[in-house]
Structures are given as structure tokens and as C-alpha cells.
């Protein structure tokens, strides 16, 4: 009589996690973590600190993601230097903010042995020196949520390069909010009203000038270019802003009224494009000669960047492997749920990596 030994139980080490940011993406991250735990996934992730820009709550034995946000008003004053002490020698910092201050800590946390999963583009999409300091620890940096709300853009670039491919050029519709606006605009209604609607739907930032100025797309292009092997500084990219001067100068309380200044110039651009049978899209490009641009373009209907709909991001990649017909990656490029899913995927991957 023979017996079959049961396989040994697989034990996953407990990984401590700090979440910074409880806005729409951070809240979606907490909701998703709670749902996955209910399914038995991610139970080895111990949430030891959650913070917004003002307050933090912490517990060494773990926080319940379902209720932790309710505890923040009574929490302690937030300090970024508390993050490392909350995690100890190892753990994962989740940056669900858009904060320049938080991004400035990424390299320090990585140097100390921590891992970082981020949706904050100001890290590797900021100044080139910061990118290089972070990239020195790329194996402990989760960046899938920084471009394309978790579309496999950066993963595809990494795999192409790991396989010996060389990226020649890339172009993309990288702003989900601008994609939605230009897809919905018909040249007759008010573009300003569409911006207001996008803000209510959560597609645009509370201050929509972040999207309309091109700064958000600039950072995404810098990330894609750098991950493609072209270490662009931000000063090398020519950016066309969609902001009329009065809107650019407006105080925060005046922004909503100043949005009406968008209507006339956008109607004129739309009419010119429509007369030529073209579609307006806000496009980021890295050309084969290394030049880089961000701005509004009138594209032929057959152009792969002119299709899609809603908040879709679309990216084309030309390389040794794809020299004539580009590789095209397309999918939802905005939304708290998909961004939070990408963040949590990175956390789960980083938690399984060997400790440094």
C-alpha cells in the first residue's frame, strides 16, 4: 500500500503596507483590498498606516481597510518621516497622491530598503535626477498605475527591451480626461460645459487646468520615453497648453467662470479639422530623432490614435520588432477603479519579491 504525501503548505510572509492618499484612488484601493481579502487574496498584506495630507492613523497589528478612513479626522498630524518607522526594515509604501512632496521621498524610501507602488507621476515623471535615483531601485518600484491607469504599457516596453528590441518612436493619447472631452465634443456645444461635466464625473482633476495645460501628459510622456531607453529631461519636450491666458491666470475660485474662454478657440480648431475630414486628439510624441512634443493634433480618421472612445488611452510603438506597422495598446486610461487595481497588483507583486 502506498501513500501520497500532501504538498507542504505554502506560507507567504506578512508584508506591512502604508497607504498615502485617501482621495478617489486611495479610497478605491482600500475598497479593493477589502474585497480581495474577502476572497482570500492579499490576506498577507498588513495595513499599518493610512494617511491623507493632514492626518494619519497607525496600528502595528493592522488596520481594517473598510473603516480606516473614518478614523482619520481623529488621527495624528501627518508626517512623511513617520512612514519608514511605521514599516520598519521592509514593507511597501503606496503613493495614491499627486503630491510633489510625497514623490520627493520615493528615492529615500527605496534606498532604505522599502518598496514603493505609486500612481503619482511626479516620481519617475519628474526631474531627470529624481528618475535616475528611483530607477536605481527599479526592482522595488511599482509604476504600472502612473501611465494608462494600469494598461500594460510599461510592462510591454520592459519586455520588448528585455528581449533585445530597440524602441524607435512612440506616440499616444495619454490623458483619459482629454480623450473623453475631445471624443464628446461636436463643435457646436460648449467645450467649457463638457469640462465641467468631466470634473463632476471624476474624469478631470478638481482643477481641470492640470489636464488642459498638458503637464499631466508631459509627465506621462517622460515616463514612457525613459522606460523606452530615452532619458528625456522635461525641458526637451515642447508642450502646447489648451489654456487661454485668462484661465491660466485665474485664481482657484475663478476657474469655473474662466472656463468659458475655452469655447471660441476650441470651436475654431474643431471647424478647421472637420473641414479636412480629421479628428482632434491631444497627442504626445517621441520621434525617432529624439524630438518630443505634446499638443492638440488633427488626425486622419484612419490614424490608430484617432479611434477609440470615451476615456480610452491609445499608444503606438515602433521598434526593431515593429518597424512599419506599430504595436498598438488601447484601453481605459482614467478611473479610480482601474488605477487602484494596478496599484494593488504592484503591491502584491512587490510583497512576493525577495527581501533586499
Amino acid at each position: 500500500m502506498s501513500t501520497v504525501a500532501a504538498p507542504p503548505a505554502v506560507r507567504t510572509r506578512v508584508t506591512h503596507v502604508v497607504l498615502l492618499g485617501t482621495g478617489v484612488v486611495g479610497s478605491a484601493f482600500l475598497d479593493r483590498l477589502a474585497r480581495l481579502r474577502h476572497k482570500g487574496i492579499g490576506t498577507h498584506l498588513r495595513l499599518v498606516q493610512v494617511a491623507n495630507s493632514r492626518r494619519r492613523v497607525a496600528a502595528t497589528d493592522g488596520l481594517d481597510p473598510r473603516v480606516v478612513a473614518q478614523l482619520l479626522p481623529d488621527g495624528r498630524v501627518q508626517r512623511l518621516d513617520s512612514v519608514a518607522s511605521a514599516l520598519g526594515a521592509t514593507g511597501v509604501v503606496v503613493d495614491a497622491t499627486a503630491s510633489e512632496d510625497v514623490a520627493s521621498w520615493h528615492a529615500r524610501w527605496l534606498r532604505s530598503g522599502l518598496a514603493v507602488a505609486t500612481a503619482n507621476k511626479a516620481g519617475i515623471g519628474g526631474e531627470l535626477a529624481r528618475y535616475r535615483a528611483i530607477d536605481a531601485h527599479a526592482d522595488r518600484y511599482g509604476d504600472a498605475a502612473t501611465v494608462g491607469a494600469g494598461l500594460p504599457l510599461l510592462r510591454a516596453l520592459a519586455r520588448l527591451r528585455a528581449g533585445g528590441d530597440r524602441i524607435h518612436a512612440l506616440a499616444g493619447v495619454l490623458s483619459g480626461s482629454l480623450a473623453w472631452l475631445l471624443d464628446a465634443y461636436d463643435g457646436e456645444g460648449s467645450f467649457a460645459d463638457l469640462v465641467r461635466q468631466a470634473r463632476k464625473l471624476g474624469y478631470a482633476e478638481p482643477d481641470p487646468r492640470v489636464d488642459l495645460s498638458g503637464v499631466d501628459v508631459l509627465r506621462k510622456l517622460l515616463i514612457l520615453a525613459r522606460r523606452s531607453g530615452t532619458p528625456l529631461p522635461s525641458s526637451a519636450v515642447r508642450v502646447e497648453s489648451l489654456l487661454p491666458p485668462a484661465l491660466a491666470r485665474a485664481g482657484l475660485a475663478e476657474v469655473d467662470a474662466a472656463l468659458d474662454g475655452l469655447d471660441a478657440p476650441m470651436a475654431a480648431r474643431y471647424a478647421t479639422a472637420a473641414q479636412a475630414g480629421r479628428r482632434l486628439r491631444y497627442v504626445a510624441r517621441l520621434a525617432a530623432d529624439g524630438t518630443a512634443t505634446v499638443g492638440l493634433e488633427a488626425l486622419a480618421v484612419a490614424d490608430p490614435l484617432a479611434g477609440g472612445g470615451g476615456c480610452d488611452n491609445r499608444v503606438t510603438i515602433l521598434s526593431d520588432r515593429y518597424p512599419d506597422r506599430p504595436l498598438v495598446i488601447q484601453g481605459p486610461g482614467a478611473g479610480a477603479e482601474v488605477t487602484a487595481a494596478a496599484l494593488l497588483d504592484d503591491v502584491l507583486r512587490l510583497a512576493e519579491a525577495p527581501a533586499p
Side-chain angles (χ1 to χ4, degrees):
M1 180 178 179
S2 62
T3 59
V4 178
V10 177
R11 295 198 306 167
T12 304
R13 70 175 186 271
V14 171
T15 299
H16 289 183
V17 175
V18 166
L19 171 65
L20 303 177
T22 57
V24 290
V25 173
S27 297
F29 178 90
L30 291 171
D31 289 343
R32 184 169 181 81
L33 177 59
R35 293 198 304 271
L36 290 187
R37 282 183 173 180
H38 185 70
K39 298 177 181 178
I41 302 169
T43 55
H44 59 297
L45 302 178
R46 182 177 297 168
L47 195 62
V48 295
Q49 185 183 115
V50 173
N52 58 27
S53 60
R54 299 171 301 279
R55 297 285 175 179
R56 72 183 192 272
V57 291
T60 56
D61 57 349
L63 297 159
D64 186 340
R66 297 169 298 179
V67 299
V68 64
Q70 302 168 23
L71 307 177
L72 279 171
D74 297 321
R76 302 177 67 183
V77 174
Q78 164 62 339
R79 291 177 49 180
L80 289 173
D81 59 6
S82 74
V83 171
S85 59
L87 288 171
T90 61
V92 183
V93 183
V94 181
D95 181 0
T97 77
S99 166
E100 181 74 23
D101 287 341
V102 176
S104 72
W105 279 79
H106 288 189
R108 277 183 275 184
W109 288 325
L110 291 165
R111 284 195 298 269
S112 73
L114 300 175
V116 176
T118 182
N120 188 346
K121 294 171 283 293
I124 55 173
E127 292 306 312
L128 190 56
R130 177 182 294 171
Y131 166 76
R132 286 173 168 152
I134 291 171
D135 193 50
H137 309 277
D139 59 326
R140 285 184 282 113
Y141 197 74
D143 55 12
T146 59
V147 183
L151 289 175
L153 295 172
L154 301 181
R155 192 185 321 151
L157 290 172
R159 289 180 177 176
L160 288 173
R161 295 184 67 201
D165 206 353
R166 183 170 59 93
I167 310 301
H168 300 305
L170 56 84
V173 172
L174 301 177
S175 168
S177 56
L178 290 176
W180 184 87
L181 286 167
L182 293 170
D183 184 56
Y185 186 55
D186 61 4
E188 296 180 4
S190 166
F191 191 81
D193 283 347
L194 282 176
V195 174
R196 295 182 180 106
Q197 185 179 351
R199 188 167 51 186
K200 289 179 182 177
L201 292 170
Y203 296 155
E205 297 290 336
D207 184 348
R209 292 177 296 183
V210 175
D211 303 296
L212 296 166
S213 68
V215 171
D216 180 67
V217 174
L218 165 64
R219 285 179 167 169
K220 292 174 180 177
L221 178 61
L222 290 173
I223 293 169
L224 289 176
R226 292 164 179 178
R227 292 303 196 211
S228 298
T230 302
L232 278 183
S234 59
S235 59
V237 185
R238 180 170 54 83
V239 179
E240 176 192 6
S241 171
L242 299 183
L243 297 174
L247 178 56
R249 294 191 305 264
L252 192 57
E254 304 165 327
V255 166
D256 190 74
L259 288 174
D260 291 332
L262 290 164
D263 286 344
M266 289 303 299
R269 295 288 290 269
Y270 182 93
T272 300
Q275 188 174 15
R278 291 175 170 261
R279 294 175 178 170
L280 288 180
R281 296 293 184 261
Y282 197 77
V283 179
R285 291 189 185 275
L286 174 65
D289 63 2
T291 57
T293 59
V294 169
L296 194 63
E297 297 185 12
L299 301 178
V301 174
D303 190 301
L305 297 181
C311 292
D312 276 7
N313 278 189
R314 296 175 295 285
V315 174
T316 61
I317 300 169
L318 290 171
S319 68
D320 290 343
R321 193 177 302 181
Y322 304 101
D324 303 313
R325 297 180 62 198
L327 171 66
V328 180
I329 300 174
Q330 175 179 329
E337 288 295 328
V338 287
T339 304
L343 269 178
L344 192 49
D345 287 350
D346 271 342
V347 173
L348 290 166
R349 175 181 61 81
L350 292 167
E352 296 299 327

